[in-house]
Amino acid sequence: MTAISRDEVAHLAHLARLDVTETELDRFAQQLDVILQSVQRIGEVAADDIPPTSHAVPLTNVYREDVPVPSLAREDALAGAPDVAEERFRVPRILGEEE
Amino acid sequence: MTTATLSSYEGVISRYEPVIGLETHVELGTRTKMFCGCATGFGADPNTQVCPVCLGLPGALPVANAAAIEATIRIGLALNCSIATWCRFARKNYFYPDMPKNFQTSQYDEPLCEDGWIEVDVDGEVVRVEIERVHLEEDTGKSLHVGGATGRIHGATESLVDYNRAGIPLVEIVTKPVVGTGAKAPEVARAYVTELREVIRSLNVSDVRMEQGSLRCDVNTSLNLPGQEWGTRTETKNVNSLRSVERAVRSEILRQAPLLDAGERIVQETRHFHEDTGKSTAGRSKETATDYRYFPEPDLAPMAPDPDWVAKLKADLPELPRTRRRRLQAAWGLSDHDMASVQNAGAVDTIEATIAAGAKAESARKWWMGELSRRANEAEIELSDLAISPAQVAQLQTLVDAGTLNDKLARQVIDGVLAGEGDPAVVAEARGLAIVSDTGALTAAVDDAIAANPAVAEKVRAGTHAAAGVLIGAVMKTTKGQADAKTVRQLIIDRLS
Amino acid sequence: MTIIHSTAAELAAGIAEGRFSAEEVTKAFLDRIAAVDGLVHAFLHVDAEGALATARAVDADRAAGKPLGPLAGVPIAVKDIVVTKGLPTTAASKMLENWIPPYDATIVTRIKAARMPILGKTNLDEFAMGSSTEYSAFGATRNPWDLKRIPGGSGGGSAAAVAAGMAPLAIGTDTGGSIRQPGAVTGTVGGKPTYGANSRYGLIAFSSSLDTPGPVARTMLDAALLHEVIAGHDPLDSTSIPQEPAPVVAAAREGLTGDLSGVKLGVVTQFAAGEGAEPGVIAAYQTGVEALAKLGAEIVEVSCPHFEYALPAYYLIAPSECSSNLARFDSVRYGLRVGDDGVRSLEEVMAATREAGFGPEVKRRIMLGTYALSSGYVDEFYGQAQKVRTLITRDFEAAFNEVDALISPTTPFTAFEFGARTADPYQMYLADLYTIPSNLSGGPAVSVPVGLSDGLPAGLQVMAPTLRDDVAYRVGAALESTQEPRLSDQIPDVADKEL
């Protein structure tokens, strides 16, 4: 399943919150298509009975104890922020609702 | 509700079958966050409980909180779930400013616990609610919406985000669709959340307070004609009290029915509940489901809870609240109604402790549900916040049983205990509150009363014992109420016969 | 031998023995940076003050008779994808152009504990995505061997810094070859440890299950010394392995004795054929194979039939993880914010910021990854790619039942000219052909300079079993011992080169 359309690219850009231009849409559609064609090959060899690997060295049960450690000083936490108000991160008006 | 609305509900429910589902989020009371060591205490100054991890700074990595995992498994066990032998966290990808990473570390197709159940009592019937899954995730930050009229998003010109809450462990509990509840659907929903809250509280893993947000509930409702497939369901959020759970279901049933009657489609959407109106308004459409692009969290190792450890957790679970309530109800000899009252007043533990301190069940119940409840209501505080302990109440009753105090005196002793003057015995001593048992003094008082009321005394002498009341009153006045009325009456009658 | 021509091991010994001061050493490298980095552009930020302060502190300790650690006073450059407290960390992206982190990566904490002066932050392909450093938002780095050519990527800055004598050591990160490939094309040593051997806490994440910090150096022993300083379990990284670091320093010393009798090396059949590789690279690689045989190693052919699927699998897994890892760059808490004019909504500002802040390769990979994870496709793409990982791991395991280590050319081509591979992204991706399998399996691999092809460096890659980094170091050091002088000793005289 390749041949990625311009509309699909536009949808992906929206999912990824990327404001791509019209020119970029065309260019990306073409480039993504080439890449997708070449990666499609893995379907040749990835049979059903093969388990996936998500981690190189298998570890399980990696935890930490429920003991507090010092947090960042507030000025450090806010230092990199583009906009701060009332000790909080200020953002422009939000359109969508919370999940 | 007016008669017209009532009958409309009955009308609806006679024609449609409701199917409900509940999704509950429980904020765990762990000392630290889910994936970092930041403190979790409520009410801290904004952005003072944050670090690179829970702020989502570039380069930060999560490490899972062992206590949160244990708490989640215990919740699952208490809900009769099977616990995964191997499972993982997953990333739920979506953008929102209260999400530091713009993905939530949660669980997807491998929850820690699944396939459980809980029994709840609704109007004398036992309803079994099946649990689909219990999984672990992290909470988001909190946004303040500024500039709009109501403090909500609509009309706001900007928002201010505080990440103190971001990363606090959240347990999500999802029921399977609950069918066959009929007219009782709203009550079943409420009873489920109430019972769930009791279970979680008994495990000591969260203070589960809806008004503080440590217990959050989303309610799903759909209607279908009998024998037909389930209808489209809507999700109602912002349900902030037990009462609202019930109202949310009821209002959604009443909203959907006329639409279905008119042949219209129910829009699959998220609705927002309003406490003040008891109704919900349309929110985000869920027609096209958001693509969360779930994949296993590569920054965390899989969890493989040791079966022996899980078995021990299960064996060590405290008695389920419902089991305990039924046991106590039988032991105390209470009716369902009376037990429900005790339950609703939050007095079960207190009464049990009072009995443990030596009082009889009936006495304990009488004090806590009577005089002490009245005082708590007046002071607008919880029963458990009254400045009198179960041990003190037991002692008080002991004094009454011994004949040292009567009801009236006991109430004065309570005044003293609540004022911080000490235990009942100490207060009684200090305030000189005790039934006068010195016969000499009583006799003297009786004689005084007789002397002061010759006409009444004559009547009593003549055989009208009922007239003794005036004399009893006079004696009580002289003794400042510290006489046993029965004893006084007998003395008067003896004196005048 | 001047200071900038000395190895890290020699510098450490010299400082410890008092032949020169740590301050002198740091100054020498700062002077070299001032002299040639205007041309090479390996550094995005130089911290002369900080580096000198650390150097002076080491000198004070030495004067006071306190014992010094194995690399105390030896300067180091750090790839700008690694978070350094108080020092700008940009990931070579406009998105983080002015970001100053409030915390240190764990490996930086360890470098500081080892008292190594940090000279500055080196250039890279933006967010570590690329094979040429051309995708840096702040200008490309030039290969010191030929200033018209790329130094490799994504860690071209670290490799160029070491190749040009501006730093004796550097930190890189390797996700698909980003330490090894630049090492090969700049004539330096690049090591990718076992995944999880070095902490990722503080590494700006590109592909979480593949990213590995590692050493960039001029010799195998130097790389081994640096590896032992930074390696080891980190409780802040859940993927950090609990095992003690492999004994790579001892292994490198053993390799330097030049005796590989009893060692069996496998030439990967699928790579030996050299399809798509430059003949010169293959020829240089062959001389390396012969040299190893002369040291007593038995060379056999080993087939790794699934290695040809490594590249496609990588270009599904890495973009998928990166599309999620880069979602946090949204203008809210740090970094760039664009378009906040009091009218636009947050959603618009977010999209405008990400459009302006990310370069074309980053955007490409984000969209590819978003696609590969989207419902309807996730099983076919991301899911299948994870299966290929299993097959590749099995190929390695089968191979290591027969041989102690596998060898191959590091990368199919020498340093190409600027612009040669940017028109067609897939042409760029081919640079990672030989390096990617060990990223997917998580096993260790090093690139050792092996010779020149048309005057440009080429490298030989040694791949070892997971957790056996020492085997790779032994073989690599043995190969190095056959070179007199070492290729990396030829520090190009940058100033006389044409642009």
Side-chain angles (χ1 to χ4, degrees):
Chain A
M1 172 50 215
T2 54
I4 184 167
S5 74
R6 222 169 157 274
D7 279 348
E8 276 182 291
V9 177
H11 174 64
L12 290 176
H14 172 71
L15 271 181
R17 297 297 185 272
L18 287 173
D19 226 2
V20 296
T21 64
E22 292 295 306
T23 331
E24 278 177 317
L25 266 184
D26 289 319
R27 188 165 15 106
F28 283 140
Q30 192 238 340
Q31 287 171 342
L32 287 179
D33 203 40
V34 168
I35 297 167
L36 287 169
Q37 300 259 15
S38 26
V39 301
Q40 213 200 355
R41 320 182 38 220
I42 60 169
E44 291 162 23
V45 86
D48 284 340
D49 61 339
I50 298 167
T53 297
S54 62
H55 285 91
V57 178
L59 295 171
T60 54
N61 295 330
V62 178
Y63 305 130
R64 59 177 179 82
E65 292 307 305
D66 191 26
V67 175
V69 294
S71 292
L72 276 178
R74 176 156 60 197
E75 59 264 24
D76 288 338
L78 297 172
D83 200 355
V84 172
E86 294 177 41
E87 315 286 23
R88 293 172 174 84
F89 296 85
R90 190 208 149 271
V91 298
R93 65 192 175 92
I94 304 166
L95 291 177
E97 286 173 21
E98 295 163 49
E99 290 286 313
Chain B
M1 274 189 272
T2 64
T3 316
T5 320
L6 256 177
S7 64
S8 140
Y9 180 78
E10 282 167 7
V12 165
I13 225 64
S14 67
R15 287 177 292 119
Y16 291 103
E17 288 175 352
V19 176
I20 55 173
L22 289 116
E23 213 174 278
T24 313
H25 285 89
V26 175
E27 220 176 64
L28 291 179
T30 51
R31 296 174 66 200
T32 62
K33 295 189 178 184
M34 186 62 229
F35 297 115
C36 66
C38 285
T40 52
F42 189 75
D45 279 345
N47 292 307
T48 54
Q49 287 171 174
V50 294
C51 75
V53 179
C54 56
L55 268 184
L57 293 190
L61 291 175
V63 185
N65 182 334
I69 286 152
E70 179 174 320
T72 308
I73 292 175
R74 291 179 69 223
I75 291 174
L77 289 169
L79 295 175
N80 301 290
C81 293
S82 37
I83 307 301
T85 50
W86 188 92
C87 68
R88 293 175 289 189
F89 287 101
R91 292 194 186 179
K92 181 180 182 183
N93 297 282
Y94 66 99
F95 284 82
Y96 206 75
D98 63 6
M99 302 244 298
K101 300 171 290 192
N102 285 317
F103 63 82
Q104 181 193 36
T105 305
S106 176
Q107 294 194 288
Y108 177 49
D109 50 357
E110 298 165 358
L112 264 169
C113 328
E114 55 185 357
D115 285 337
W117 51 268
I118 181 173
E119 279 175 351
V120 305
D121 299 302
V122 184
D123 274 358
E125 272 178 48
V126 179
V127 177
R128 184 173 191 149
V129 177
E130 311 264 323
I131 305 290
E132 173 77 44
R133 54 188 279 150
V134 177
H135 78 247
L136 188 50
E137 58 187 32
E138 55 179 346
D139 209 347
T140 63
K142 261 201 214 154
S143 311
L144 273 184
H145 306 299
V146 178
T150 58
R152 290 193 50 224
I153 277 192
H154 300 290
T157 51
E158 60 181 25
S159 297
L160 303 173
V161 192
D162 169 18
Y163 293 100
N164 281 354
R165 196 183 69 176
I168 288 190
L170 223 48
V171 174
E172 180 171 328
I173 302 160
V174 184
T175 68
K176 296 195 180 159
V178 187
V179 299
T181 55
K184 296 234 192 294
E187 287 89 340
V188 171
R190 177 183 181 148
Y192 165 74
V193 179
T194 308
E195 195 60 47
L196 183 66
R197 193 183 65 167
E198 288 304 306
V199 169
I200 292 171
R201 207 186 274 156
S202 77
L203 296 171
N204 249 324
V205 295
S206 167
D207 58 13
V208 269
R209 295 170 77 142
M210 287 183 90
E211 70 281 8
Q212 264 190 19
S214 50
L215 176 67
R216 296 168 221 164
C217 206
D218 299 335
V219 181
N220 293 319
T221 317
S222 71
L223 290 179
N224 58 273
L225 290 169
Q228 305 278 30
E229 265 180 29
W230 294 344
T232 306
R233 65 185 164 99
T234 60
E235 179 186 38
T236 306
K237 292 176 102 80
N238 195 43
V239 180
N240 294 333
S241 67
L242 292 173
R243 185 161 163 260
S244 295
V245 169
E246 191 176 330
R247 290 157 91 209
V249 174
R250 190 183 302 271
S251 77
E252 193 53 16
I253 289 173
L254 286 172
R255 186 192 72 87
Q256 288 189 14
L259 294 170
L260 290 171
D261 287 342
E264 281 175 45
R265 204 171 63 88
I266 302 295
V267 174
Q268 187 171 10
E269 62 187 353
T270 297
R271 300 184 64 83
H272 193 96
F273 188 75
H274 302 275
E275 296 278 323
D276 47 0
T277 61
K279 293 199 165 61
S280 63
T281 49
R284 193 180 63 241
S285 164
K286 281 184 124 180
E287 302 271 277
T288 39
T290 314
D291 185 359
Y292 293 116
R293 286 157 280 132
Y294 285 101
F295 67 102
E297 171 60 81
D299 287 333
L300 291 168
M303 297 173 276
D306 175 32
D308 289 339
W309 174 64
V310 172
K312 182 156 195 312
L313 287 178
K314 183 166 184 174
D316 290 347
L317 283 179
E319 186 183 20
L320 276 179
R322 191 166 167 271
T323 311
R324 175 171 169 257
R325 283 197 315 268
R326 287 153 83 90
R327 177 173 60 77
L328 291 177
Q329 182 181 342
W332 299 346
L334 297 183
S335 67
D336 284 353
H337 178 267
D338 284 348
M339 191 61 194
S341 302
V342 168
Q343 173 71 6
N344 289 336
V348 178
D349 292 349
T350 317
I351 291 174
E352 193 186 27
T354 307
I355 294 167
K360 289 212 186 51
E362 183 46 38
S363 315
R365 192 185 76 84
K366 183 200 79 181
W367 281 117
W368 286 106
M369 298 301 292
E371 180 65 20
L372 295 173
S373 273
R374 186 182 65 72
R375 291 186 191 236
N377 287 338
E378 265 170 28
E380 291 184 348
I381 58 176
E382 294 291 321
L383 200 58
S384 46
D385 290 336
L386 274 179
I388 183 168
S389 72
Q392 288 169 331
V393 171
Q395 192 189 78
L396 184 71
Q397 184 62 32
T398 308
L399 293 171
V400 171
D401 288 340
T404 313
L405 298 174
N406 57 20
D407 252 17
K408 186 162 172 234
L409 292 176
R411 269 178 250 133
Q412 290 178 54
V413 169
I414 289 176
D415 288 341
V417 175
L418 292 179
E421 293 166 25
D423 283 345
V426 170
V427 170
E429 174 81 34
R431 291 192 179 199
L433 299 170
I435 293 174
V436 176
S437 47
D438 171 3
T439 323
L442 268 181
T443 312
V446 165
D447 286 342
D448 286 345
I450 290 170
N453 299 278
V456 177
E458 245 341 283
K459 283 206 187 115
V460 178
R461 214 176 265 129
T464 315
H465 291 178
V470 174
L471 298 173
I472 296 170
V475 172
M476 294 303 267
K477 203 160 163 216
T478 316
T479 59
K480 296 192 179 60
Q482 293 182 200
D484 180 52
K486 280 211 202 72
T487 312
V488 169
R489 189 175 185 280
Q490 198 55 49
L491 271 174
I492 290 169
I493 289 167
D494 289 346
R495 210 71 170 138
L496 295 172
S497 25
Chain C
M1 175 105 72
T2 68
I3 281 177
I4 67 161
H5 281 89
S6 304
T7 64
E10 287 159 355
L11 292 171
I15 290 168
E17 288 156 25
R19 281 182 276 117
F20 33 75
S21 69
E23 184 171 353
E24 259 183 87
V25 171
T26 293
K27 268 201 102 269
F29 285 102
L30 289 171
D31 287 346
R32 177 69 177 165
I33 291 170
V36 303
D37 202 42
L39 287 170
V40 176
H41 191 235
F43 282 87
L44 292 177
H45 179 84
V46 177
D47 181 28
E49 211 179 287
L52 286 169
T54 305
R56 289 179 192 129
V58 172
D59 286 334
D61 274 3
R62 199 195 160 267
K66 295 200 185 132
L68 300 178
L71 287 176
V74 179
I76 185 167
V78 177
K79 185 177 183 183
D80 206 21
I81 194 100
V82 178
V83 162
T84 43
K85 184 173 178 178
L87 283 187
T89 301
T90 68
S93 176
K94 291 212 191 78
M95 190 59 92
L96 288 177
E97 187 165 4
N98 297 308
W99 188 52
I100 312 244
Y103 78 105
D104 271 328
T106 297
I107 57 176
V108 171
T109 305
R110 291 176 185 181
I111 284 168
K112 287 183 176 176
R115 315 291 232 77
M116 300 171 69
I118 297 177
L119 295 166
K121 310 300 288 298
T122 57
N123 202 11
L124 59 149
D125 282 297
E126 186 183 1
F127 283 107
M129 300 180 205
S131 304
S132 67
T133 309
E134 290 173 284
Y135 293 127
S136 166
F138 307 122
T141 297
R142 298 199 176 93
N143 193 321
W145 286 79
D146 181 336
L147 298 177
K148 292 191 295 301
R149 294 175 183 271
I150 54 95
S154 61
S158 281
V162 170
M166 292 190 269
L169 293 170
I171 289 290
T173 64
D174 192 308
T175 305
S178 294
I179 291 177
R180 290 163 288 162
Q181 183 255 8
V185 305
T186 58
T188 54
V189 169
K192 182 199 89 70
T194 296
Y195 175 88
N198 289 343
S199 169
R200 287 187 303 118
Y201 185 78
L203 216 71
I204 298 178
F206 157 26
S207 179
S208 313
S209 70
L210 302 172
D211 291 343
T212 320
V216 175
R218 295 196 5 252
T219 69
M220 289 300 306
L221 179 59
D222 280 1
L225 287 165
L226 180 52
H227 177 95
E228 287 193 5
V229 163
I230 60 176
H233 179 253
D234 181 13
L236 292 175
D237 174 358
S238 301
T239 60
S240 165
I241 58 178
Q243 287 87 348
E244 289 291 307
V248 295
V249 170
R253 290 199 207 276
E254 191 190 343
L256 288 172
T257 63
D259 180 9
L260 288 180
S261 42
V263 174
K264 211 163 164 191
L265 298 176
V267 165
V268 180
T269 314
Q270 285 74 12
F271 293 161
E275 266 176 59
E278 286 168 8
V281 168
I282 299 299
Y285 160 72
Q286 286 298 345
T287 66
V289 177
E290 281 152 27
L292 289 167
K294 282 215 190 73
L295 295 180
E298 189 191 337
I299 317 279
V300 300
E301 244 198 44
V302 178
S303 175
C304 297
H306 299 98
F307 276 23
E308 66 174 285
Y309 298 98
L311 197 72
Y314 172 82
Y315 278 101
L316 286 170
I317 293 168
S320 296
E321 293 180 354
C322 102
S323 69
S324 178
N325 285 328
L326 264 57
R328 68 190 62 202
F329 298 102
D330 62 2
S331 84
V332 174
R333 289 162 302 283
Y334 43 79
L336 187 69
R337 182 183 286 192
V338 157
D340 187 5
D341 55 6
V343 174
R344 285 205 183 88
S345 68
L346 174 62
E347 284 81 350
E348 289 168 301
V349 168
M350 234 190 236
T353 300
R354 290 165 65 80
E355 166 70 8
F358 291 139
E361 182 59 31
V362 171
K363 281 186 198 148
R364 215 170 359 250
R365 297 199 193 193
I366 287 175
M367 284 199 288
L368 186 51
T370 305
Y371 187 78
L373 289 176
S374 55
S375 69
Y377 297 127
V378 61
D379 290 330
E380 187 187 333
F381 287 128
Y382 186 75
Q384 303 272 55
Q386 299 284 50
K387 290 182 179 184
V388 169
R389 221 166 158 167
T390 306
L391 293 169
I392 287 173
T393 304
R394 286 180 187 170
D395 277 2
F396 272 113
E397 282 164 1
F400 292 132
N401 274 335
E402 288 181 50
V403 300
D404 298 302
L406 291 170
I407 55 178
S408 77
T410 301
T411 182
F413 11 89
T414 55
F416 43 90
E417 290 188 345
F418 287 112
R421 290 176 183 268
T422 44
D424 179 358
Y426 202 75
Q427 289 305 309
M428 186 73 81
Y429 296 165
L430 288 173
D432 298 331
L433 198 61
Y434 307 142
T435 47
I436 277 177
S438 45
N439 290 100
L440 292 177
S441 71
V446 299
S447 175
V448 193
V450 78
L452 294 174
S453 163
D454 278 338
L456 294 169
L460 180 145
Q461 175 180 230
V462 183
M463 296 173 270
T466 301
L467 296 174
R468 296 305 309 277
D469 303 47
D470 52 303
V471 172
Y473 276 81
R474 182 183 167 199
V475 175
L479 177 61
E480 183 185 285
S481 75
T482 65
Q483 299 164 7
E484 187 57 49
R486 291 177 292 237
L487 190 63
S488 58
D489 289 337
Q490 301 174 43
I491 291 183
D493 197 357
V494 176
D496 68 358
K497 297 222 181 325
E498 295 169 21
L499 277 178

